[in-house]
Amino acid sequence: MIHVDITEAVLDPLAALSHCCADSHGAADLFIGRVRNLNEGRAVTAVSYDLHPVLCKNIFAEICREAQGRWGDHIHVYLVHRLGRLEVGEASVITAVSSPHRAHSFEACRYLIEQMKVRAPIWKQEHYVDGDSEWIKGHALRNPA
Amino acid sequence: MIHVDITEAVLDPLAALSHCCADSHGAADLFIGRVRNLNEGRAVTAVSYDLHPVLCKNIFAEICREAQGRWGDHIHVYLVHRLGRLEVGEASVITAVSSPHRAHSFEACRYLIEQMKVRAPIWKQEHYVDGDSEWIKGHALRNPA
Amino acid sequence: MTRQIPIRLFGAFRQGRSDATLTVEIDTDARVSELRQAMSKALDSDSARALLKASAFATDTEILDDDQPVPEREISILPPVCGG
Amino acid sequence: MTRQIPIRLFGAFRQGRSDATLTVEIDTDARVSELRQAMSKALDSDSARALLKASAFATDTEILDDDQPVPEREISILPPVCGG
C-alpha cells in the first residue's frame, strides 16, 4: 500500500501510522521534517514551500514504488509534503513505512526522505528575523549535458 | 531531554512527538513496535509482557543517556514500553528522537530500540490461536562466567 | 513555423515577478536546448540566467533532456530542489 | 549464620507458579554463585534449571556478577530478555 500527497493542511502523524499498519507488520518507522529556527547561522521565522503538484506526486509515487521494489511489495509506504507558508516547528514532510521486521522499516523510511530531498520538485524560501528572505540552493534535477 | 516510562495504558505516538520537538530540531524519527499475528510460523493472537519496573526504567534511562553521549546532549529522547496483555496490532514500544539534522534522529532512534531489545528486563509470552502459549527465548543478561 | 511556449516558473524564478509564467517563441520542431536558449534571452538578470543553467525543463511526468524535441504539453522550468 | 533470600521471579520462571517469589537460604557472606546453586536446588524441573544457567541475578539498579557478595537488597532473577 502506497499513500502520497501534497497538502496545505497541517500534517497528521496519526494518519501516517494508520496507513503504515498491518497485522503482519511488527514495526513502523516515521520521520518528520520540521521548520528550524536556524539555518546556516541565520535566524529563521518561517519557510514558504513552492512545488509542482502533479510532477511532485508522480515522483513521490515513483520513490515509494522503488522502496517496495527494494524492501518488498508488502511494506506500507507513506510520503506527504506540505505546501505554503510554515512557521518554525511546523511539519513540512512526513515519511513512514511499516514492515514485518524493524530493519526494513528504518531503511525504507530513510530512503523515502533522502530520495524526496534530491528528486522531488519542491522549493523552499526562508524568511529571516531581519525581514529578508531567500530561496534556498538545492539539488539540480538537470541531467548532465 | 529524556523521557522514559513503562505503562499499562495504550501508547501515544503524539506524546512521543511532543517530547521530541524543539525550535532548533529540524528532524524527528519515531519507531513503533507492534504485536504481529505471526511469529516463526505460529499464528499469534496476543502477547503478555512481563517486566521488572524499576530496573527497566533505570536501563531505559541509561540507554537514553548513552544516545545523548553519542549524538549530542541537545537531542530529545523518548523510550516507553507497555506492560500487560496486548492484542495483535497494539503498540508494545515507542522510541523517538529529535535533533537538528535527520541523520542523528534516525541513528539514535535505531540505537534506542536495538539496545532496549537486548538489555531491558522485559519478557514476552505469546498466546497462539491453538490455545497454547510460550515464553519467548531472548538475550541473556548474564555476564560471561 | 514557430510556436509560443508558456513556461511555468517555480521557486527562485518567481522572485520579484507577479506572474508564474514566462512565454517564449521557438521553432515548431525545436529541441529543449533551443527552448533553453530562448528562455535565457527572455530572462532579465544574470542571476536568473545562472539559475537556468542548473535548472531542468519538465512535463507533469518527466524531466526532459536537452536533445529531446519540446513536447506538446505543459512545460515547467525546475530550479535545483530542496524539499523537506 | 544463614539468611533467607526471597528471589523475585520473572518471565518463564513464573510459568505454572502461583507466587512470584522463590525463597532460598544461603550463608550470610555468600556470593552470587552460591545463591545460584541454592536456587538451582530449589527449582523443580530440568527446564527451569537450564533457564537459570542463562539468567542473571540483579538488584533494582544493576546486574550482579557471580563473584559479587549477595547485596542486602531485593534480588531478582532475570531470564534472557526479549522486549519490544
Side-chain angles (χ1 to χ4, degrees), chain B residues 49-50 58 135 139 142-143, chain D residues 11 15 53 60 65-66 81 84:
Chain B
Y49 286 94
D50 185 21
N58 283 332
W135 289 95
H139 303 268
R142 187 184 180 190
N143 293 328
Chain D
Q15 188 91 46
K53 284 186 184 161
D60 278 357
D65 284 328
D66 269 21
V81 300

Side-chain angles (χ1 to χ4, degrees), chain A residues 106-133:
Chain A
F106 276 104
E107 290 162 14
C109 186
R110 182 89 191 255
Y111 182 82
L112 298 183
I113 187 71
E114 298 296 339
Q115 292 296 312
M116 189 283 290
K117 284 193 167 255
V118 296
R119 291 163 57 185
I122 302 175
W123 302 275
K124 179 157 61 180
Q125 184 182 30
E126 285 183 348
H127 305 285
Y128 303 106
V129 168
D130 60 15
D132 195 12
S133 71

Side-chain angles (χ1 to χ4, degrees), chain A residues 9 13 17 22 25 27 37 64 72 84 87 91-92 98 105 127 130 139 142:
Chain A
L17 292 172
H25 291 182
N37 64 0
C64 289
E87 304 300 311
S92 56
S98 63
S105 286
H127 305 285
D130 60 15
H139 303 269
R142 188 184 179 188

Side-chain angles (χ1 to χ4, degrees), chain B residues 2 6-7 10 22 38-39 41 46 53 59 63-64 76 87 102-104 109 111-112 117 121 123 127 130 143:
Chain B
I2 290 175
I6 54 168
T7 176
V10 169
L38 197 72
N39 191 27
I59 299 274
I63 292 169
C64 289
H76 291 194
E87 305 299 311
R102 66 188 180 283
H104 287 187
C109 186
Y111 182 81
L112 298 182
K117 284 195 167 255
W123 302 274
H127 305 285
D130 60 15
N143 293 328

Side-chain angles (χ1 to χ4, degrees), chain C residues 1-60:
Chain C
M1 289 277 287
T2 62
R3 57 176 169 138
Q4 301 284 316
I5 307 279
I7 302 170
R8 269 179 91 179
L9 305 177
F10 291 94
F13 281 119
R14 303 252 281 258
Q15 189 92 44
R17 300 182 74 96
S18 54
D19 54 347
T21 306
L22 177 70
T23 300
V24 300
E25 189 173 294
I26 54 170
D27 287 345
T28 307
D29 59 354
R31 293 180 185 274
V32 171
S33 55
E34 291 155 79
L35 180 63
R36 189 181 290 278
Q37 286 164 13
M39 181 167 174
S40 189
K41 278 180 197 144
L43 289 171
D44 53 12
S45 76
D46 286 345
S47 64
R49 278 185 287 273
L51 182 64
L52 178 60
K53 285 187 183 159
S55 300
F57 289 92
T59 65
D60 278 358

